[in-house]
Amino acid sequence: MTLIAAVGHAQALDGREAGLQATNQALNRLRAPAPNFGIVIASHQYQPREVATGVTSLTGDMPLIGFSAPAGLTHEGIHPHSVVVALLSGDLRAEVHWLPGYAQSGRETANRLAQLTSGDAAHQSLLFFADGFNGDAEQLCNALPGRASMPITGGLSSGDMHTGNTYQIAGTQAGTGGLAAAILRGAAKIGIGHAHGWDPVGSQFRVTRSRGFWLRTLDGRPTSETYAQIFGHPARDWAFPPLSYLARLYPLGVEQGEQLIVRSPLRVEADGSFRMNAPVRDGLDAYLLIGSRASCQEAAHKAAQQALLQLEEAKPVFALVLVDIAWQMLLKSNPGAEIAAVQDILGPDVPIAGGYTLGQIVPGKAPASPLFLNQHMVVIVFGEEQG
């Protein structure tokens, strides 16, 4: 019933060398037979196939999935322009799939995932990384069947907010617009917690015009004009960096039943509309949300506690932490504060790997489909059964 994990990270001039060095470090720390499964988080500035080649040159045909991020995270802190590699060995089997058509159809990709996981769902879970700039993650989640016996979780890869450059890795295959999935089986337990640190501040709007991923008007005015009135910068300035990306710090809480669902812009377009990565329907009430360092640290504690609780008696062995890119912006003066908060709960000895994402996926309340989130931290803890 053993499960062990180790994490390595490295910087280098090219992705192959960084991937090779990070993997070598993780293998040295693992001190175990060959690993069964690997997760890689790599800078969007590296070429994805080079990163995959660097990792697999040392791990052979070990199942591997990964995603790009502006910075990787480990228990040692935040690592920009790096490759982070997590290796797991023991009672965990992984089957990896590359689904290149995600950007074209979230629904068809969901149908394919449902086919791949249609067998015995006991001790089975699904972890995936999909493109954060292209594709409809909400459509994908709504089309996936919710099964209490099979947790579904993952994140949307991020990268260059200006060019939309991002990628996903599955084994030796990699590219943009795809989805990298790992079906995990075995006796290892998985606990999943999530939370965010953004709260309503009193400004309420009606969504008066949205088309697909573009939120065009709030209260009958271009969205950038509404934000210009609140924050004081001229509306035209919101269409250019840095405000066009910093808009993600100020998401909307959209009413959905009894809950506020957080929906965050990827950027502000030249016409003043907000480009989202989930559609927001006309006629809904929305509230401006503001985050703080203290509430994000509290949210990190909560997510880690939730994940630990789900492990029950199992001993935590490794944590995968998927954090919305807005946290990186908010915590710029305190880099790594979110990881320190997770370590407060898990302790200093549990290896951590993760990265910044453009969306997060967590299990819904069965039999509901998984939920697509923005602005959250998701903590996925792998545990070893005791006795």
Side-chain angles (χ1 to χ4, degrees), residues 162-176:
H162 185 61
T163 62
N165 180 32
T166 177
Y167 57 79
Q168 306 78 48
I169 294 170
T172 55
Q173 295 178 289
T176 62

Side-chain angles (χ1 to χ4, degrees), residues 21-224:
Q21 286 182 24
T23 307
N24 190 48
Q25 189 183 90
L27 283 167
N28 288 337
R29 290 174 174 175
L30 195 65
R31 292 183 185 157
N36 308 58
F37 179 50
I39 299 168
V40 58
I41 301 101
S43 167
H44 62 277
Q45 291 158 317
Y46 293 132
Q47 292 298 315
R49 288 184 192 280
E50 287 185 7
V51 173
T53 301
V55 176
T56 56
S57 67
L58 293 178
T59 59
D61 57 1
M62 172 198 75
L64 172 78
I65 62 168
F67 65 97
S68 62
L73 298 164
T74 73
H75 45 282
E76 294 168 28
I78 179 171
H79 309 282
H81 198 78
S82 299
V83 172
V84 172
V85 174
L87 300 176
L88 288 97
S89 177
D91 204 352
L92 180 74
R93 300 185 312 282
E95 180 188 308
V96 164
H97 297 275
W98 172 244
L99 305 176
Y102 163 73
Q104 283 72 48
S105 174
R107 192 174 287 110
E108 282 181 25
T109 303
N111 292 341
R112 182 76 185 113
L113 285 171
Q115 287 170 0
L116 292 168
T117 56
S118 61
D120 177 25
H123 289 298
Q124 179 173 282
S125 51
L126 175 63
L127 172 67
F128 67 80
F129 306 124
D131 193 305
F133 292 106
N134 307 290
D136 191 337
E138 192 168 49
Q139 183 189 76
L140 173 90
C141 286
N142 290 341
L144 280 169
R147 279 184 273 172
S149 57
M150 189 184 76
I152 298 174
T153 189
L156 300 188
S157 62
S158 62
D160 189 325
M161 299 294 281
H162 185 61
T163 62
N165 180 32
T166 177
Y167 57 79
Q168 306 78 48
I169 294 170
T172 55
Q173 295 178 289
T176 62
L179 183 147
I183 302 163
L184 305 175
R185 300 182 178 97
K189 285 209 78 167
I190 294 178
I192 302 161
H194 64 280
H196 70 84
W198 272 257
D199 297 297
V201 290
S203 300
Q204 181 180 353
F205 322 104
R206 177 63 56 90
V207 177
T208 44
R209 187 159 180 259
S210 69
R211 295 290 178 272
F213 292 124
W214 284 268
L215 177 57
R216 303 219 182 265
T217 64
L218 293 170
D219 292 338
R221 301 162 61 196
T223 309
S224 62

Side-chain angles (χ1 to χ4, degrees), residues 348-386:
D349 300 327
V350 176
I352 295 172
Y356 294 108
T357 60
L358 288 170
Q360 306 78 43
I361 293 92
V362 297
K365 285 191 173 69
S369 294
L371 304 174
F372 173 59
L373 308 173
N374 283 153
Q375 223 77 357
H376 281 65
M377 169 190 273
V378 177
V379 179
I380 305 158
V381 181
F382 291 71
E384 176 189 19
E385 292 274 23
Q386 297 298 289

